[in-house]
Protein backbone atom coordinates (compact mmCIF):
# COMPACT_ATOMS: atom_id res chain seq x y z
CA UNK A 1 0.00 0.00 0.00
CA UNK A 2 1.31 3.42 -0.89
CA UNK A 3 0.81 5.51 2.23
CA UNK A 4 1.67 8.69 0.34
CA UNK A 5 -1.54 8.29 -1.68
CA UNK A 6 -3.78 8.17 1.42
CA UNK A 7 -5.23 11.14 3.28
CA UNK A 8 -2.49 12.27 5.71
CA UNK A 9 -4.40 11.30 8.86
CA UNK A 10 -5.10 7.80 7.54
CA UNK A 11 -1.49 7.34 6.42
CA UNK A 12 -0.31 8.42 9.84
CA UNK A 13 -2.56 5.86 11.52
CA UNK A 14 -1.23 3.01 9.38
CA UNK A 15 2.33 4.18 9.85
CA UNK A 16 1.93 4.28 13.62
CA UNK A 17 0.23 0.91 14.09
CA UNK A 18 1.56 -0.93 17.10
CA UNK A 19 4.09 -3.64 16.24
CA UNK A 20 5.61 -6.43 18.32
CA UNK A 21 9.18 -5.90 19.44
CA UNK A 22 11.27 -9.00 18.76
CA UNK A 23 14.74 -9.32 20.26
CA UNK A 24 15.86 -12.21 18.06
CA UNK A 25 16.69 -12.26 14.36
CA UNK A 26 16.12 -15.87 13.29
CA UNK A 27 17.45 -16.85 9.86
CA UNK A 28 17.10 -20.29 8.31
CA UNK A 29 18.57 -21.24 4.97
CA UNK A 30 17.68 -24.18 2.78
CA UNK A 31 17.99 -25.87 -0.59
CA UNK A 32 17.36 -24.12 -3.92
CA UNK A 33 13.74 -23.17 -4.58
CA UNK A 34 13.41 -25.92 -7.14
CA UNK A 35 13.82 -28.43 -4.32
CA UNK A 36 11.72 -26.70 -1.69
CA UNK A 37 8.27 -27.59 -0.36
CA UNK A 38 6.23 -24.40 0.03
CA UNK A 39 3.25 -23.64 2.28
CA UNK A 40 0.99 -20.62 2.60
CA UNK A 41 0.33 -19.28 6.10
CA UNK A 42 -2.22 -16.51 5.66
CA UNK A 43 -3.41 -13.97 8.20
CA UNK A 44 -6.63 -13.25 6.26
CA UNK A 45 -8.97 -15.12 8.62
CA UNK A 46 -9.67 -17.73 5.94
CA UNK A 47 -12.04 -20.58 6.78
CA UNK A 48 -13.47 -23.46 4.84
CA UNK A 49 -17.17 -23.23 4.05
CA UNK A 50 -19.20 -24.52 7.01
CA UNK A 51 -16.30 -24.11 9.41
CA UNK A 52 -16.66 -21.75 12.37
CA UNK A 53 -15.69 -18.27 11.13
CA UNK A 54 -13.28 -16.16 13.16
CA UNK A 55 -15.51 -13.97 15.30
CA UNK A 56 -13.01 -11.61 16.85
CA UNK A 57 -9.32 -11.32 17.61
CA UNK A 58 -8.92 -15.05 18.13
CA UNK A 59 -5.52 -16.68 18.46
CA UNK A 60 -6.23 -20.07 16.92
CA UNK A 61 -5.86 -21.09 13.30
CA UNK A 62 -7.58 -23.02 10.53
CA UNK A 63 -6.10 -25.79 8.40
CA UNK A 64 -6.63 -25.46 4.64
CA UNK A 65 -5.80 -28.74 2.88
CA UNK A 66 -4.16 -28.31 -0.54
CA UNK A 67 -7.12 -30.20 -1.97
CA UNK A 68 -9.58 -27.47 -0.89
CA UNK A 69 -11.64 -26.30 -3.89
CA UNK A 70 -11.75 -22.55 -4.46
CA UNK A 71 -15.48 -22.54 -3.80
CA UNK A 72 -14.89 -23.80 -0.27
CA UNK A 73 -12.70 -20.94 0.92
CA UNK A 74 -14.24 -17.91 2.66
CA UNK A 75 -12.71 -14.84 4.27
CA UNK A 76 -13.86 -14.12 7.83
CA UNK A 77 -11.30 -11.48 8.80
CA UNK A 78 -13.02 -9.13 11.23
CA UNK A 79 -11.80 -5.93 9.59
CA UNK A 80 -14.07 -4.52 6.89
CA UNK A 81 -11.55 -1.85 5.95
CA UNK A 82 -9.76 -3.74 3.21
CA UNK A 83 -10.77 -4.72 -0.29
CA UNK A 84 -12.59 -8.03 -0.64
CA UNK A 85 -13.53 -7.72 -4.30
CA UNK A 86 -10.13 -9.01 -5.43
CA UNK A 87 -10.59 -12.22 -3.42
CA UNK A 88 -14.19 -12.48 -4.59
CA UNK A 89 -13.08 -12.37 -8.21
CA UNK A 90 -10.01 -14.60 -7.83
CA UNK A 91 -8.89 -16.43 -4.69
CA UNK A 92 -5.25 -16.25 -5.83
CA UNK A 93 -5.23 -12.57 -4.85
CA UNK A 94 -5.17 -13.74 -1.23
CA UNK A 95 -4.45 -17.48 -1.36
CA UNK A 96 -2.29 -18.20 -4.44
CA UNK A 97 -2.58 -21.98 -4.47
CA UNK A 98 -3.14 -22.15 -8.23
CA UNK A 99 -0.01 -20.07 -8.81
CA UNK A 100 2.07 -22.32 -6.52
CA UNK A 101 0.84 -25.43 -8.33
CA UNK A 102 1.86 -23.82 -11.63
CA UNK A 103 5.32 -23.10 -10.23
CA UNK A 104 5.65 -26.78 -9.33
CA UNK A 105 4.64 -27.74 -12.89
CA UNK A 106 7.28 -25.32 -14.22
CA UNK A 107 9.92 -26.79 -11.94
CA UNK A 108 10.43 -23.43 -10.22
CA UNK A 109 9.60 -24.89 -6.78
CA UNK A 110 9.80 -28.48 -5.62
CA UNK A 111 6.32 -29.13 -4.23
CA UNK A 112 3.35 -27.62 -2.45
CA UNK A 113 2.52 -28.51 1.15
CA UNK A 114 -0.29 -30.91 1.93
CA UNK A 115 -1.82 -28.36 4.30
CA UNK A 116 -1.86 -24.59 4.47
CA UNK A 117 -2.93 -22.44 7.42
CA UNK A 118 -4.80 -19.26 8.24
CA UNK A 119 -4.76 -16.98 11.28
CA UNK A 120 -6.76 -13.88 12.16
CA UNK A 121 -4.31 -11.11 11.45
CA UNK A 122 -5.90 -8.57 13.79
CA UNK A 123 -4.98 -10.69 16.82
CA UNK A 124 -2.18 -9.65 19.17
CA UNK A 125 0.87 -11.62 17.94
CA UNK A 126 1.87 -12.44 21.52
CA UNK A 127 -1.37 -14.39 21.89
CA UNK A 128 -0.71 -16.28 18.66
CA UNK A 129 2.71 -17.58 19.69
CA UNK A 130 1.66 -21.05 20.88
CA UNK A 131 -0.53 -21.61 17.82
CA UNK A 132 2.22 -20.37 15.49
CA UNK A 133 4.73 -22.78 17.00
CA UNK A 134 2.18 -25.59 16.71
CA UNK A 135 1.69 -24.75 13.03
CA UNK A 136 5.47 -24.74 12.57
CA UNK A 137 5.56 -28.28 13.98
CA UNK A 138 2.85 -29.38 11.56
CA UNK A 139 4.75 -27.79 8.66
CA UNK A 140 7.98 -29.51 9.68
CA UNK A 141 6.25 -32.90 9.79
CA UNK A 142 4.91 -32.19 6.27
CA UNK A 143 8.47 -31.57 5.07
CA UNK A 144 7.88 -27.88 4.40
CA UNK A 145 11.05 -25.79 4.14
CA UNK A 146 9.65 -22.54 2.78
CA UNK A 147 6.62 -20.52 3.96
CA UNK A 148 5.02 -17.52 2.31
CA UNK A 149 3.05 -15.28 4.67
CA UNK A 150 0.42 -13.12 2.98
CA UNK A 151 -1.64 -10.60 4.97
CA UNK A 152 -4.72 -8.75 3.79
CA UNK B 1 1.92 -11.24 8.92
CA UNK B 2 5.44 -10.32 9.82
CA UNK B 3 5.22 -11.57 13.42
CA UNK B 4 4.39 -15.09 12.23
CA UNK B 5 7.61 -15.00 10.21
CA UNK B 6 9.65 -14.55 13.38
CA UNK B 7 7.89 -17.34 15.23
CA UNK B 8 7.94 -19.92 12.42
CA UNK B 9 11.55 -19.14 11.49
CA UNK B 10 12.54 -19.59 15.15
CA UNK B 11 11.13 -23.09 14.80
CA UNK B 12 13.54 -23.81 11.95
CA UNK B 13 11.54 -23.09 8.78
CA UNK B 14 12.48 -20.34 6.33
CA UNK B 15 9.77 -17.72 5.79
CA UNK B 16 9.03 -14.74 3.61
CA UNK B 17 6.29 -12.26 4.48
CA UNK B 18 4.33 -10.12 2.06
CA UNK B 19 4.15 -6.64 3.59
CA UNK B 20 1.34 -4.27 2.64
CA UNK B 21 2.24 -1.59 5.21
CA UNK B 22 5.97 -0.94 4.89
CA UNK B 23 6.51 0.85 8.23
CA UNK B 24 5.07 -2.19 10.01
CA UNK B 25 7.58 -4.48 8.33
CA UNK B 26 10.38 -2.03 9.11
CA UNK B 27 9.53 -2.12 12.81
CA UNK B 28 8.58 -5.81 13.16
CA UNK B 29 11.69 -6.88 11.21
CA UNK B 30 10.64 -10.35 10.01
CA UNK B 31 13.50 -12.46 8.57
CA UNK B 32 12.46 -11.69 4.99
CA UNK B 33 9.68 -9.50 3.60
CA UNK B 34 8.60 -8.21 0.23
CA UNK B 35 6.75 -4.90 0.41
CA UNK B 36 4.07 -4.60 -2.26
CA UNK B 37 2.42 -1.27 -3.17
CA UNK B 38 -1.06 -2.79 -3.60
CA UNK B 39 -4.19 -1.84 -1.69
CA UNK B 40 -5.10 -3.66 1.50
CA UNK B 41 -6.79 -6.97 0.69
CA UNK B 42 -4.67 -7.67 -2.40
CA UNK B 43 -1.31 -9.07 -1.28
CA UNK B 44 -0.69 -10.64 -4.69
CA UNK B 45 -2.05 -7.75 -6.73
CA UNK B 46 -4.72 -7.80 -9.42
CA UNK B 47 -7.38 -10.51 -9.71
CA UNK B 48 -7.53 -12.57 -12.90
CA UNK B 49 -3.95 -11.70 -13.80
CA UNK B 50 -1.93 -14.90 -13.28
CA UNK B 51 1.26 -13.51 -14.85
CA UNK B 52 1.32 -10.51 -12.50
CA UNK B 53 0.52 -12.67 -9.46
CA UNK B 54 3.26 -15.12 -10.40
CA UNK B 55 5.70 -12.22 -10.62
CA UNK B 56 4.88 -11.24 -7.04
CA UNK B 57 5.22 -14.80 -5.76
CA UNK B 58 8.51 -15.37 -7.55
CA UNK B 59 9.89 -12.10 -6.18
CA UNK B 60 8.88 -13.17 -2.66
CA UNK B 61 10.10 -16.76 -2.88
CA UNK B 62 13.32 -15.53 -4.47
CA UNK B 63 14.19 -13.95 -1.12
CA UNK B 64 14.39 -17.47 0.33
CA UNK B 65 17.50 -18.01 -1.78
CA UNK B 66 19.16 -14.75 -0.81
CA UNK B 67 21.96 -14.91 1.70
CA UNK B 68 21.70 -11.20 2.48
CA UNK B 69 19.97 -11.54 5.85
CA UNK B 70 19.04 -11.78 8.62
CA UNK B 71 16.40 -9.17 8.06
CA UNK B 72 15.79 -8.60 4.41
CA UNK B 73 13.14 -6.13 3.23
CA UNK B 74 12.81 -5.41 -0.47
CA UNK B 75 10.21 -3.61 -2.58
CA UNK B 76 8.13 -4.98 -5.43
CA UNK B 77 8.50 -2.48 -8.26
CA UNK B 78 5.13 -2.54 -10.07
CA UNK B 79 1.73 -1.12 -9.11
CA UNK B 80 -1.54 -3.03 -9.42
CA UNK B 81 -3.00 -2.17 -12.84
CA UNK B 82 -6.50 -2.95 -11.53
CA UNK B 83 -6.43 0.12 -9.28
CA UNK B 84 -7.24 2.11 -12.42
CA UNK B 85 -11.01 2.34 -13.01
CA UNK B 86 -12.46 0.62 -16.08
CA UNK B 87 -14.66 3.17 -17.91
CA UNK B 88 -16.35 0.32 -19.78
CA UNK B 89 -17.61 -1.48 -16.67
CA UNK B 90 -21.36 -1.26 -16.06
CA UNK B 91 -23.24 -2.21 -12.87
CA UNK B 92 -25.71 -5.10 -13.13
CA UNK B 93 -28.78 -3.00 -12.23
CA UNK B 94 -29.83 0.63 -12.52
CA UNK B 95 -28.96 2.92 -9.63
CA UNK B 96 -31.71 3.36 -7.08
CA UNK B 97 -32.58 6.38 -4.97
CA UNK B 98 -32.98 5.66 -1.27
CA UNK B 99 -33.61 8.05 1.57
CA UNK B 100 -32.22 7.82 5.09
CA UNK B 101 -34.64 6.95 7.83
CA UNK B 102 -37.10 4.91 5.81
CA UNK B 103 -36.43 1.51 7.34
CA UNK B 104 -39.65 -0.13 6.12
CA UNK B 105 -39.08 0.95 2.52
CA UNK B 106 -35.44 -0.18 2.70
CA UNK B 107 -36.48 -3.54 4.12
CA UNK B 108 -38.68 -4.10 1.08
CA UNK B 109 -36.09 -2.70 -1.31
CA UNK B 110 -33.20 -4.82 -0.11
CA UNK B 111 -35.23 -8.00 -0.57
CA UNK B 112 -36.45 -6.92 -4.01
CA UNK B 113 -32.88 -6.08 -5.03
CA UNK B 114 -31.73 -9.60 -4.22
CA UNK B 115 -34.07 -10.89 -6.91
CA UNK B 116 -32.99 -8.21 -9.36
CA UNK B 117 -29.39 -9.30 -8.88
CA UNK B 118 -30.09 -13.02 -8.94
CA UNK B 119 -29.34 -13.71 -12.60
CA UNK B 120 -26.14 -11.64 -12.52
CA UNK B 121 -25.03 -13.39 -9.34
CA UNK B 122 -25.71 -16.82 -10.85
CA UNK B 123 -23.83 -15.91 -14.04
CA UNK B 124 -20.92 -14.59 -12.01
CA UNK B 125 -20.75 -17.78 -9.91
CA UNK B 126 -20.73 -19.87 -13.07
CA UNK B 127 -17.99 -17.78 -14.65
CA UNK B 128 -15.78 -17.86 -11.55
CA UNK B 129 -16.68 -21.40 -10.52
CA UNK B 130 -17.18 -20.24 -6.96
CA UNK B 131 -18.81 -17.88 -4.52
CA UNK B 132 -17.59 -16.30 -1.30
CA UNK B 133 -21.12 -16.02 0.09
CA UNK B 134 -21.54 -18.34 3.07
CA UNK B 135 -20.21 -16.99 6.38
CA UNK B 136 -23.70 -16.85 7.89
CA UNK B 137 -24.57 -20.29 6.44
CA UNK B 138 -27.87 -18.72 5.29
CA UNK B 139 -28.96 -18.62 1.66
CA UNK B 140 -28.88 -15.10 0.16
CA UNK B 141 -32.69 -14.80 0.31
CA UNK B 142 -32.63 -15.74 4.00
CA UNK B 143 -29.87 -13.16 4.59
CA UNK B 144 -32.13 -10.57 2.98
CA UNK B 145 -35.08 -11.63 5.11
CA UNK B 146 -33.02 -11.40 8.27
CA UNK B 147 -31.59 -7.96 7.45
CA UNK B 148 -35.11 -6.78 6.55
CA UNK B 149 -36.38 -8.13 9.89
CA UNK B 150 -33.69 -6.15 11.71
CA UNK B 151 -34.62 -2.99 9.81
CA UNK B 152 -38.25 -3.42 10.80
CA UNK B 153 -37.29 -4.40 14.36
CA UNK B 154 -35.20 -1.30 14.95
CA UNK B 155 -38.45 0.69 14.83
CA UNK B 156 -39.79 -1.29 17.79
CA UNK B 157 -36.50 -1.93 19.59
CA UNK B 158 -36.79 -5.68 19.15
CA UNK B 159 -33.98 -7.72 17.64
CA UNK B 160 -35.31 -10.63 15.59
CA UNK B 161 -34.25 -14.06 16.85
CA UNK B 162 -31.21 -15.55 15.15
CA UNK B 163 -32.07 -18.22 12.55
CA UNK B 164 -28.64 -19.81 13.10
CA UNK B 165 -28.45 -21.74 16.39
CA UNK B 166 -24.75 -21.08 16.98
CA UNK B 167 -24.95 -17.32 16.40
CA UNK B 168 -26.37 -14.53 18.55
CA UNK B 169 -28.76 -12.19 16.70
CA UNK B 170 -26.20 -9.40 16.30
CA UNK B 171 -23.45 -11.80 15.16
CA UNK B 172 -25.84 -13.41 12.72
CA UNK B 173 -26.69 -9.95 11.41
CA UNK B 174 -23.00 -9.18 10.93
CA UNK B 175 -22.37 -12.35 8.93
CA UNK B 176 -25.63 -11.99 6.97
CA UNK B 177 -24.52 -8.48 5.98
CA UNK B 178 -21.08 -9.82 4.99
CA UNK B 179 -22.92 -12.29 2.76
CA UNK B 180 -25.20 -9.66 1.23
CA UNK B 181 -22.22 -7.46 0.38
CA UNK B 182 -20.44 -10.42 -1.23
CA UNK B 183 -23.61 -11.37 -3.13
CA UNK B 184 -24.02 -7.89 -4.62
CA UNK B 185 -20.33 -7.40 -5.39
CA UNK B 186 -20.08 -10.82 -7.02
CA UNK B 187 -23.15 -9.99 -9.11
CA UNK B 188 -21.34 -6.82 -10.16
CA UNK B 189 -18.57 -8.94 -11.68
CA UNK B 190 -20.99 -10.65 -14.06
CA UNK B 191 -20.69 -8.08 -16.82
CA UNK B 192 -16.99 -8.65 -17.33
CA UNK B 193 -14.63 -5.73 -17.62
CA UNK B 194 -11.97 -4.92 -15.08
CA UNK B 195 -13.59 -2.71 -12.45
CA UNK B 196 -11.42 -1.30 -9.69
CA UNK B 197 -12.37 -1.97 -6.09
CA UNK B 198 -13.25 1.71 -5.78
CA UNK B 199 -15.73 1.48 -8.67
CA UNK B 200 -17.39 -1.57 -7.17
CA UNK B 201 -17.54 0.02 -3.73
CA UNK B 202 -18.95 3.28 -5.07
CA UNK B 203 -21.73 1.31 -6.72
CA UNK B 204 -22.53 -0.82 -3.66
CA UNK B 205 -22.53 2.02 -1.14
CA UNK B 206 -23.98 4.84 -3.25
CA UNK B 207 -26.40 3.21 -5.66
CA UNK B 208 -27.88 0.03 -4.18
CA UNK B 209 -30.63 -0.75 -1.69
CA UNK B 210 -28.21 -3.17 -0.02
CA UNK B 211 -25.73 -0.37 0.71
CA UNK B 212 -28.47 2.02 1.85
CA UNK B 213 -30.00 -0.62 4.12
CA UNK B 214 -26.67 -1.40 5.78
CA UNK B 215 -26.03 2.31 6.36
CA UNK B 216 -29.51 2.70 7.86
CA UNK B 217 -29.08 -0.30 10.16
CA UNK B 218 -25.74 0.99 11.34
CA UNK B 219 -27.21 4.44 12.10
CA UNK B 220 -30.09 2.95 14.07
CA UNK B 221 -28.03 0.41 16.02
CA UNK B 222 -25.27 2.87 16.91
CA UNK B 223 -27.94 5.21 18.27
CA UNK B 224 -29.61 2.39 20.25
CA UNK B 225 -29.30 1.13 23.80
CA UNK B 226 -27.70 -2.27 23.25
CA UNK B 227 -23.96 -1.83 23.86
CA UNK B 228 -22.95 -5.04 22.05
CA UNK B 229 -25.05 -4.11 19.02
CA UNK B 230 -23.60 -0.59 19.10
CA UNK B 231 -20.07 -1.97 19.08
CA UNK B 232 -20.60 -4.50 16.29
CA UNK B 233 -22.65 -2.14 14.15
CA UNK B 234 -20.16 0.65 14.68
CA UNK B 235 -17.13 -1.38 13.67
CA UNK B 236 -18.21 -4.17 11.36
CA UNK B 237 -20.97 -3.05 9.01
CA UNK B 238 -19.79 -0.02 7.01
CA UNK B 239 -16.12 0.56 6.05
CA UNK B 240 -14.56 3.69 7.53
CA UNK B 241 -14.03 5.03 4.02
CA UNK B 242 -17.80 4.97 3.45
CA UNK B 243 -18.83 6.82 6.60
CA UNK B 244 -19.81 10.41 5.96
CA UNK B 245 -17.74 12.98 7.80
Amino acid sequence: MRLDRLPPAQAERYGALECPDFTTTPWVEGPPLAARRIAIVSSAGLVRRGERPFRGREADYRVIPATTPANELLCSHISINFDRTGFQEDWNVVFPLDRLNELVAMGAIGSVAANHYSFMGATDPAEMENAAREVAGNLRRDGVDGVILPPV
Amino acid sequence: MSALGHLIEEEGIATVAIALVRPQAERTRPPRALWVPFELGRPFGPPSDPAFQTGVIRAALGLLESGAGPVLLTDFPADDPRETPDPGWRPPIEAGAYRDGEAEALADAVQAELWELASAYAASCTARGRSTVGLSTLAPAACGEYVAAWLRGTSTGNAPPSPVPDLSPILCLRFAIDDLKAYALEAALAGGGSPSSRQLGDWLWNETATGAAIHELRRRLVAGEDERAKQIAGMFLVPALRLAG
Side-chain angles (χ1 to χ4, degrees):
Chain A
M1 179 170 57
R2 292 195 183 276
L3 296 182
D4 57 358
R5 293 183 185 171
L6 297 178
Q10 198 180 353
E12 194 175 328
R13 274 200 302 278
Y14 281 119
L17 284 173
E18 197 175 331
C19 296
D21 188 15
F22 290 101
T23 54
T24 61
T25 50
W27 182 262
V28 178
E29 297 191 351
L33 271 182
R36 290 213 198 201
R37 187 166 175 81
I38 304 293
I40 303 166
V41 177
S42 167
S43 49
L46 302 173
V47 296
R48 285 182 290 157
R49 188 178 295 281
E51 222 172 17
R52 183 184 185 279
F54 289 96
R55 296 181 179 184
R57 294 180 171 84
E58 296 166 353
D60 59 345
Y61 62 89
R62 303 289 186 274
V63 181
I64 307 167
T67 52
T68 303
N71 188 44
E72 294 300 306
L73 201 64
L74 307 176
C75 178
S76 71
H77 197 292
I78 58 167
S79 172
I80 55 170
N81 292 312
F82 64 84
D83 173 60
R84 279 175 163 77
T85 64
F87 175 69
Q88 286 158 356
E89 180 175 329
D90 175 5
W91 74 333
N92 292 288
V93 168
V94 170
F95 187 75
L97 185 57
D98 296 328
R99 300 293 87 84
L100 289 182
N101 285 328
E102 290 161 7
L103 289 175
V104 173
M106 291 163 57
I109 61 174
S111 60
V112 173
N115 289 313
H116 306 274
Y117 298 87
S118 182
F119 287 81
M120 165 58 68
T123 305
D124 179 352
E127 292 180 19
M128 293 158 66
E129 179 167 347
N130 289 343
R133 295 193 190 283
E134 188 176 297
V135 163
N138 295 342
L139 292 166
R140 219 171 21 242
R141 282 185 288 279
D142 188 13
V144 168
D145 50 10
V147 172
I148 190 164
L149 297 155
V152 283
Chain B
M1 175 193 260
S2 298
L4 289 170
H6 266 282
L7 299 168
I8 294 172
E9 193 114 359
E10 278 185 354
E11 294 294 315
I13 301 173
T15 64
V16 56
I18 303 291
L20 283 160
V21 182
R22 202 177 197 286
Q24 277 187 299
E26 290 166 2
R27 292 204 301 278
T28 306
R29 293 166 51 84
R32 299 167 203 78
L34 176 72
W35 172 73
V36 293
F38 319 138
E39 65 185 301
L40 296 182
R42 298 189 172 194
F44 295 100
S48 307
D49 192 339
F52 192 104
Q53 295 165 358
T54 298
V56 179
I57 295 167
R58 293 195 78 153
L61 294 180
L63 299 183
L64 294 174
E65 289 187 312
S66 170
V71 182
L72 183 58
L73 174 60
T74 63
D75 296 346
F76 189 75
D79 286 295
D80 176 354
R82 283 288 295 270
E83 287 191 30
T84 304
D86 176 0
W89 174 78
R90 294 288 176 271
I93 54 174
E94 294 294 317
Y98 306 99
R99 284 199 292 272
D100 296 350
E102 297 186 346
E104 281 289 336
L106 281 170
D108 293 338
V110 76
Q111 289 184 279
E113 188 170 84
L114 281 171
W115 294 108
E116 289 177 52
L117 291 170
S119 62
Y121 173 72
S124 173
C125 289
T126 301
R128 291 173 297 118
R130 61 191 271 266
S131 171
T132 65
V133 173
L135 288 177
S136 71
T137 71
L138 297 170
C143 291
E145 282 171 25
Y146 194 55
V147 168
W150 266 90
L151 278 164
R152 295 185 176 109
T154 51
S155 304
T156 61
N158 295 322
S162 170
V164 181
D166 186 34
L167 294 177
S168 66
I170 189 64
L171 208 49
C172 187
L173 176 68
R174 181 184 130 199
F175 287 134
I177 283 176
D178 283 342
D179 282 342
L180 287 186
K181 289 183 213 169
Y183 176 88
L185 290 166
E186 290 181 23
L189 297 171
S194 301
S196 66
S197 66
R198 184 67 187 237
Q199 273 180 297
L200 293 165
D202 285 349
W203 170 72
L204 175 73
W205 293 107
N206 301 339
E207 298 184 11
T208 69
T210 301
I214 298 168
H215 267 300
E216 184 64 24
L217 259 179
R218 181 185 186 280
R219 269 192 295 273
R220 286 169 176 250
L221 292 172
V222 166
E225 304 283 315
D226 182 329
E227 290 301 321
R228 178 85 175 131
K230 272 188 188 191
Q231 183 192 26
I232 287 183
M235 293 178 68
F236 301 125
L237 302 191
V238 181
L241 178 69
R242 302 292 171 179
L243 292 172

